[in-house]
Amino acid sequence: SGQLSLTRVVVAGNQASGHVNLPPFGSPGGILNLGTLAVVQSTIANNTTSNAQVAGGIDSEGGSVTILESTISGNVDTQSNSAGGIGIYGGTLFIANSTVSGNAANNTGANTSGGGIDAFGTTMTIFDTIVAGNMGSQANPTDVSGTFTSLGHNLIGIADSHSTGFVASDLVGNAGAPVIANLGPLQNNGGTTPTMALQ
């Protein structure tokens, strides 16, 4: 709820279960941000929540988040009718030179929100970032949802019909023609935290 800066840090394997009375919907598996968060050269991975309408990875409720050169992967929401944004949900976001992949709402609902990033009524700024291979739900495997300000050179696997703001230098797929990122598994690739190497 204050200021937190994570540099070359791994936040992994955490779990939030049951409903927790936090504003507005519950508690995420990884990080709940109500203040100012910076994530630099870090990995937020394999965190799990069973609360509806929050992220498995980073949930920002009215706060601001800056993510640079980081990986958000393998975070899961097991709630039966999750709202999406399983990697990153809500808040004011600036993300650059990062990867958001392999996050999933583990349900069969008709969720219409992005499994990777859900802007949820805010504008998120994105640059030089991969958001692909996420599942908003089994019925709707989208990667992003909402209003974005793109600074270019992003790869978006599947953008839903409500996603806006991407520019000519972005590669943006849809359900009929997704863009495949060809990423390796989350593992030690020689850096200070696990990453997903380009194949």
Side-chain angles (χ1 to χ4, degrees):
S1 61
Q3 292 185 335
L4 175 64
S5 179
L6 304 177
T7 302
R8 294 184 292 278
V9 169
V10 177
V11 178
N14 301 287
Q15 184 174 6
S17 61
H19 182 72
V20 179
N21 190 22
L22 293 171
F25 300 116
S27 57
I31 300 173
L32 173 64
N33 176 52
L34 303 175
T36 302
L37 172 66
V39 178
V40 180
Q41 296 176 356
S42 294
T43 299
I44 314 297
N46 302 324
N47 301 290
T48 302
T49 184
S50 59
N51 291 298
Q53 294 179 298
V54 295
I58 298 174
D59 191 290
S60 188
E61 305 289 354
S64 63
V65 182
T66 298
I67 300 174
L68 304 174
E69 300 175 12
S70 294
T71 302
I72 315 295
S73 179
N75 301 289
V76 176
D77 189 342
T78 62
Q79 211 273 342
S80 60
N81 193 25
S82 168
I86 308 308
I88 304 167
Y89 184 78
T92 300
L93 172 72
F94 178 85
I95 183 169
N97 305 104
S98 295
T99 299
V100 182
S101 183
N103 304 285
N106 195 14
N107 67 71
T108 57
N111 171 16
T112 59
S113 299
I117 302 176
D118 186 354
F120 188 59
T122 63
T123 297
M124 296 186 170
T125 301
I126 185 170
F127 169 67
D128 201 22
T129 288
I130 295 170
V131 188
N134 304 281
M135 290 188 66
S137 73
Q138 294 175 32
N140 189 32
T142 57
D143 291 292
V144 296
S145 180
T147 302
F148 292 83
T149 297
S150 172
L151 303 182
H153 307 287
N154 301 291
L155 186 154
I156 309 299
I158 300 175
D160 72 11
S161 59
H162 306 290
S163 299
T164 61
F166 296 106
V167 298
S169 65
D170 295 324
L171 296 176
V172 182
N174 55 52
V179 178
I180 307 301
N182 292 319
L183 298 172
L186 185 70
Q187 64 183 14
N188 183 354
N189 290 302
T192 56
T193 64
T195 56
M196 302 176 76
L198 299 171
Q199 302 298 292

PDB file of all heavy atoms in Angstrom, residues 39 41-42 67-72 94-100 127-131 154:
ATOM      1  N   VAL A  39       8.642  -3.113 -10.892  1.00  0.00           N
ATOM      2  CA  VAL A  39       9.149  -4.477 -11.072  1.00  0.00           C
ATOM      3  C   VAL A  39      10.191  -4.415 -12.184  1.00  0.00           C
ATOM      4  O   VAL A  39       9.849  -4.146 -13.336  1.00  0.00           O
ATOM      5  CB  VAL A  39       8.013  -5.450 -11.430  1.00  0.00           C
ATOM      6  CG1 VAL A  39       8.558  -6.857 -11.656  1.00  0.00           C
ATOM      7  CG2 VAL A  39       6.937  -5.446 -10.352  1.00  0.00           C
ATOM      8  N   GLN A  41      13.576  -6.289 -14.032  1.00  0.00           N
ATOM      9  CA  GLN A  41      14.386  -7.490 -14.230  1.00  0.00           C
ATOM     10  C   GLN A  41      13.990  -8.585 -13.241  1.00  0.00           C
ATOM     11  O   GLN A  41      14.835  -9.256 -12.642  1.00  0.00           O
ATOM     12  CB  GLN A  41      15.879  -7.158 -14.102  1.00  0.00           C
ATOM     13  CG  GLN A  41      16.362  -6.207 -15.171  1.00  0.00           C
ATOM     14  CD  GLN A  41      17.818  -5.801 -15.009  1.00  0.00           C
ATOM     15  OE1 GLN A  41      18.476  -6.179 -14.047  1.00  0.00           O
ATOM     16  NE2 GLN A  41      18.320  -5.021 -15.937  1.00  0.00           N
ATOM     17  N   SER A  42      12.694  -8.760 -13.068  1.00  0.00           N
ATOM     18  CA  SER A  42      12.167  -9.690 -12.085  1.00  0.00           C
ATOM     19  C   SER A  42      11.196 -10.663 -12.739  1.00  0.00           C
ATOM     20  O   SER A  42      10.796 -10.491 -13.895  1.00  0.00           O
ATOM     21  CB  SER A  42      11.476  -8.926 -10.948  1.00  0.00           C
ATOM     22  OG  SER A  42      12.423  -8.162 -10.216  1.00  0.00           O
ATOM     23  N   ILE A  67       6.667  -1.918 -15.036  1.00  0.00           N
ATOM     24  CA  ILE A  67       7.311  -3.213 -15.228  1.00  0.00           C
ATOM     25  C   ILE A  67       8.318  -3.080 -16.361  1.00  0.00           C
ATOM     26  O   ILE A  67       7.959  -2.718 -17.483  1.00  0.00           O
ATOM     27  CB  ILE A  67       6.277  -4.298 -15.562  1.00  0.00           C
ATOM     28  CG1 ILE A  67       5.261  -4.443 -14.418  1.00  0.00           C
ATOM     29  CG2 ILE A  67       6.964  -5.639 -15.830  1.00  0.00           C
ATOM     30  CD1 ILE A  67       4.114  -5.392 -14.724  1.00  0.00           C
ATOM     31  N   LEU A  68       9.583  -3.372 -16.069  1.00  0.00           N
ATOM     32  CA  LEU A  68      10.655  -3.254 -17.053  1.00  0.00           C
ATOM     33  C   LEU A  68      11.473  -4.546 -17.091  1.00  0.00           C
ATOM     34  O   LEU A  68      11.877  -5.058 -16.038  1.00  0.00           O
ATOM     35  CB  LEU A  68      11.588  -2.087 -16.708  1.00  0.00           C
ATOM     36  CG  LEU A  68      10.950  -0.705 -16.544  1.00  0.00           C
ATOM     37  CD1 LEU A  68      11.990   0.306 -16.056  1.00  0.00           C
ATOM     38  CD2 LEU A  68      10.323  -0.239 -17.852  1.00  0.00           C
ATOM     39  N   GLU A  69      11.699  -5.068 -18.285  1.00  0.00           N
ATOM     40  CA  GLU A  69      12.590  -6.206 -18.491  1.00  0.00           C
ATOM     41  C   GLU A  69      12.244  -7.365 -17.554  1.00  0.00           C
ATOM     42  O   GLU A  69      13.134  -7.960 -16.923  1.00  0.00           O
ATOM     43  CB  GLU A  69      14.053  -5.781 -18.299  1.00  0.00           C
ATOM     44  CG  GLU A  69      14.490  -4.695 -19.252  1.00  0.00           C
ATOM     45  CD  GLU A  69      15.899  -4.189 -18.983  1.00  0.00           C
ATOM     46  OE1 GLU A  69      16.631  -4.837 -18.203  1.00  0.00           O
ATOM     47  OE2 GLU A  69      16.264  -3.139 -19.524  1.00  0.00           O
ATOM     48  N   SER A  70      10.963  -7.686 -17.453  1.00  0.00           N
ATOM     49  CA  SER A  70      10.501  -8.689 -16.506  1.00  0.00           C
ATOM     50  C   SER A  70       9.618  -9.730 -17.184  1.00  0.00           C
ATOM     51  O   SER A  70       9.183  -9.546 -18.322  1.00  0.00           O
ATOM     52  CB  SER A  70       9.748  -8.016 -15.351  1.00  0.00           C
ATOM     53  OG  SER A  70      10.632  -7.199 -14.591  1.00  0.00           O
ATOM     54  N   THR A  71       9.353 -10.815 -16.465  1.00  0.00           N
ATOM     55  CA  THR A  71       8.541 -11.918 -16.974  1.00  0.00           C
ATOM     56  C   THR A  71       7.393 -12.194 -16.015  1.00  0.00           C
ATOM     57  O   THR A  71       7.610 -12.355 -14.809  1.00  0.00           O
ATOM     58  CB  THR A  71       9.393 -13.191 -17.122  1.00  0.00           C
ATOM     59  OG1 THR A  71      10.490 -12.931 -18.004  1.00  0.00           O
ATOM     60  CG2 THR A  71       8.567 -14.342 -17.676  1.00  0.00           C
ATOM     61  N   ILE A  72       6.171 -12.242 -16.571  1.00  0.00           N
ATOM     62  CA  ILE A  72       4.971 -12.584 -15.809  1.00  0.00           C
ATOM     63  C   ILE A  72       4.427 -13.858 -16.443  1.00  0.00           C
ATOM     64  O   ILE A  72       3.927 -13.839 -17.568  1.00  0.00           O
ATOM     65  CB  ILE A  72       3.904 -11.464 -15.881  1.00  0.00           C
ATOM     66  CG1 ILE A  72       4.530 -10.073 -15.666  1.00  0.00           C
ATOM     67  CG2 ILE A  72       2.781 -11.731 -14.892  1.00  0.00           C
ATOM     68  CD1 ILE A  72       5.119  -9.834 -14.315  1.00  0.00           C
ATOM     69  N   PHE A  94       2.687   0.925 -16.804  1.00  0.00           N
ATOM     70  CA  PHE A  94       3.658   1.118 -17.873  1.00  0.00           C
ATOM     71  C   PHE A  94       4.504  -0.139 -17.922  1.00  0.00           C
ATOM     72  O   PHE A  94       5.133  -0.513 -16.925  1.00  0.00           O
ATOM     73  CB  PHE A  94       4.546   2.336 -17.636  1.00  0.00           C
ATOM     74  CG  PHE A  94       5.592   2.518 -18.713  1.00  0.00           C
ATOM     75  CD1 PHE A  94       5.291   3.195 -19.875  1.00  0.00           C
ATOM     76  CD2 PHE A  94       6.860   1.976 -18.566  1.00  0.00           C
ATOM     77  CE1 PHE A  94       6.243   3.349 -20.877  1.00  0.00           C
ATOM     78  CE2 PHE A  94       7.822   2.115 -19.557  1.00  0.00           C
ATOM     79  CZ  PHE A  94       7.510   2.813 -20.717  1.00  0.00           C
ATOM     80  N   ILE A  95       4.501  -0.818 -19.066  1.00  0.00           N
ATOM     81  CA  ILE A  95       5.277  -2.046 -19.208  1.00  0.00           C
ATOM     82  C   ILE A  95       6.120  -1.979 -20.470  1.00  0.00           C
ATOM     83  O   ILE A  95       5.632  -1.581 -21.531  1.00  0.00           O
ATOM     84  CB  ILE A  95       4.360  -3.290 -19.208  1.00  0.00           C
ATOM     85  CG1 ILE A  95       5.173  -4.590 -19.288  1.00  0.00           C
ATOM     86  CG2 ILE A  95       3.289  -3.221 -20.284  1.00  0.00           C
ATOM     87  CD1 ILE A  95       4.364  -5.848 -19.039  1.00  0.00           C
ATOM     88  N   ALA A  96       7.403  -2.341 -20.346  1.00  0.00           N
ATOM     89  CA  ALA A  96       8.305  -2.281 -21.492  1.00  0.00           C
ATOM     90  C   ALA A  96       9.312  -3.423 -21.425  1.00  0.00           C
ATOM     91  O   ALA A  96       9.721  -3.855 -20.334  1.00  0.00           O
ATOM     92  CB  ALA A  96       9.043  -0.942 -21.522  1.00  0.00           C
ATOM     93  N   ASN A  97       9.698  -3.917 -22.604  1.00  0.00           N
ATOM     94  CA  ASN A  97      10.750  -4.934 -22.728  1.00  0.00           C
ATOM     95  C   ASN A  97      10.482  -6.141 -21.833  1.00  0.00           C
ATOM     96  O   ASN A  97      11.390  -6.654 -21.170  1.00  0.00           O
ATOM     97  CB  ASN A  97      12.123  -4.326 -22.392  1.00  0.00           C
ATOM     98  CG  ASN A  97      12.443  -3.103 -23.237  1.00  0.00           C
ATOM     99  OD1 ASN A  97      12.359  -1.990 -22.746  1.00  0.00           O
ATOM    100  ND2 ASN A  97      12.767  -3.301 -24.490  1.00  0.00           N
ATOM    101  N   SER A  98       9.243  -6.587 -21.819  1.00  0.00           N
ATOM    102  CA  SER A  98       8.843  -7.646 -20.902  1.00  0.00           C
ATOM    103  C   SER A  98       8.062  -8.735 -21.625  1.00  0.00           C
ATOM    104  O   SER A  98       7.689  -8.589 -22.796  1.00  0.00           O
ATOM    105  CB  SER A  98       8.001  -7.053 -19.763  1.00  0.00           C
ATOM    106  OG  SER A  98       8.789  -6.169 -18.970  1.00  0.00           O
ATOM    107  N   THR A  99       7.818  -9.836 -20.908  1.00  0.00           N
ATOM    108  CA  THR A  99       7.075 -10.966 -21.442  1.00  0.00           C
ATOM    109  C   THR A  99       5.952 -11.338 -20.490  1.00  0.00           C
ATOM    110  O   THR A  99       6.189 -11.515 -19.287  1.00  0.00           O
ATOM    111  CB  THR A  99       7.999 -12.186 -21.631  1.00  0.00           C
ATOM    112  OG1 THR A  99       9.038 -11.862 -22.562  1.00  0.00           O
ATOM    113  CG2 THR A  99       7.213 -13.386 -22.153  1.00  0.00           C
ATOM    114  N   VAL A 100       4.731 -11.440 -21.026  1.00  0.00           N
ATOM    115  CA  VAL A 100       3.569 -11.888 -20.257  1.00  0.00           C
ATOM    116  C   VAL A 100       3.004 -13.077 -21.013  1.00  0.00           C
ATOM    117  O   VAL A 100       2.381 -12.930 -22.062  1.00  0.00           O
ATOM    118  CB  VAL A 100       2.508 -10.769 -20.121  1.00  0.00           C
ATOM    119  CG1 VAL A 100       1.327 -11.240 -19.284  1.00  0.00           C
ATOM    120  CG2 VAL A 100       3.127  -9.506 -19.513  1.00  0.00           C
ATOM    121  N   PHE A 127       5.156  -1.135 -24.419  1.00  0.00           N
ATOM    122  CA  PHE A 127       6.217  -0.928 -25.405  1.00  0.00           C
ATOM    123  C   PHE A 127       7.106  -2.161 -25.469  1.00  0.00           C
ATOM    124  O   PHE A 127       7.523  -2.697 -24.441  1.00  0.00           O
ATOM    125  CB  PHE A 127       7.055   0.303 -25.027  1.00  0.00           C
ATOM    126  CG  PHE A 127       8.328   0.456 -25.827  1.00  0.00           C
ATOM    127  CD1 PHE A 127       8.273   0.729 -27.184  1.00  0.00           C
ATOM    128  CD2 PHE A 127       9.569   0.305 -25.230  1.00  0.00           C
ATOM    129  CE1 PHE A 127       9.438   0.868 -27.930  1.00  0.00           C
ATOM    130  CE2 PHE A 127      10.739   0.442 -25.960  1.00  0.00           C
ATOM    131  CZ  PHE A 127      10.679   0.720 -27.315  1.00  0.00           C
ATOM    132  N   ASP A 128       7.384  -2.627 -26.689  1.00  0.00           N
ATOM    133  CA  ASP A 128       8.408  -3.647 -26.901  1.00  0.00           C
ATOM    134  C   ASP A 128       8.184  -4.869 -26.012  1.00  0.00           C
ATOM    135  O   ASP A 128       9.128  -5.393 -25.402  1.00  0.00           O
ATOM    136  CB  ASP A 128       9.790  -3.034 -26.652  1.00  0.00           C
ATOM    137  CG  ASP A 128      10.906  -3.833 -27.315  1.00  0.00           C
ATOM    138  OD1 ASP A 128      10.620  -4.565 -28.272  1.00  0.00           O
ATOM    139  OD2 ASP A 128      12.063  -3.714 -26.865  1.00  0.00           O
ATOM    140  N   THR A 129       6.933  -5.316 -25.931  1.00  0.00           N
ATOM    141  CA  THR A 129       6.556  -6.362 -24.981  1.00  0.00           C
ATOM    142  C   THR A 129       5.787  -7.480 -25.684  1.00  0.00           C
ATOM    143  O   THR A 129       5.015  -7.229 -26.607  1.00  0.00           O
ATOM    144  CB  THR A 129       5.720  -5.741 -23.835  1.00  0.00           C
ATOM    145  OG1 THR A 129       6.597  -4.970 -23.013  1.00  0.00           O
ATOM    146  CG2 THR A 129       5.023  -6.779 -22.988  1.00  0.00           C
ATOM    147  N   ILE A 130       6.002  -8.713 -25.235  1.00  0.00           N
ATOM    148  CA  ILE A 130       5.282  -9.875 -25.730  1.00  0.00           C
ATOM    149  C   ILE A 130       4.163 -10.214 -24.760  1.00  0.00           C
ATOM    150  O   ILE A 130       4.410 -10.411 -23.564  1.00  0.00           O
ATOM    151  CB  ILE A 130       6.218 -11.090 -25.871  1.00  0.00           C
ATOM    152  CG1 ILE A 130       7.288 -10.822 -26.936  1.00  0.00           C
ATOM    153  CG2 ILE A 130       5.426 -12.354 -26.217  1.00  0.00           C
ATOM    154  CD1 ILE A 130       8.388 -11.866 -26.965  1.00  0.00           C
ATOM    155  N   VAL A 131       2.926 -10.269 -25.258  1.00  0.00           N
ATOM    156  CA  VAL A 131       1.786 -10.740 -24.471  1.00  0.00           C
ATOM    157  C   VAL A 131       1.104 -11.806 -25.324  1.00  0.00           C
ATOM    158  O   VAL A 131       0.316 -11.499 -26.220  1.00  0.00           O
ATOM    159  CB  VAL A 131       0.800  -9.607 -24.122  1.00  0.00           C
ATOM    160  CG1 VAL A 131      -0.250 -10.113 -23.130  1.00  0.00           C
ATOM    161  CG2 VAL A 131       1.522  -8.398 -23.549  1.00  0.00           C
ATOM    162  N   ASN A 154       5.214  -4.199 -30.113  1.00  0.00           N
ATOM    163  CA  ASN A 154       4.671  -5.230 -29.230  1.00  0.00           C
ATOM    164  C   ASN A 154       4.196  -6.419 -30.050  1.00  0.00           C
ATOM    165  O   ASN A 154       3.808  -6.278 -31.210  1.00  0.00           O
ATOM    166  CB  ASN A 154       3.482  -4.671 -28.430  1.00  0.00           C
ATOM    167  CG  ASN A 154       3.874  -3.483 -27.590  1.00  0.00           C
ATOM    168  OD1 ASN A 154       4.611  -3.608 -26.618  1.00  0.00           O
ATOM    169  ND2 ASN A 154       3.377  -2.298 -27.969  1.00  0.00           N
TER     170      ASN A 154
END
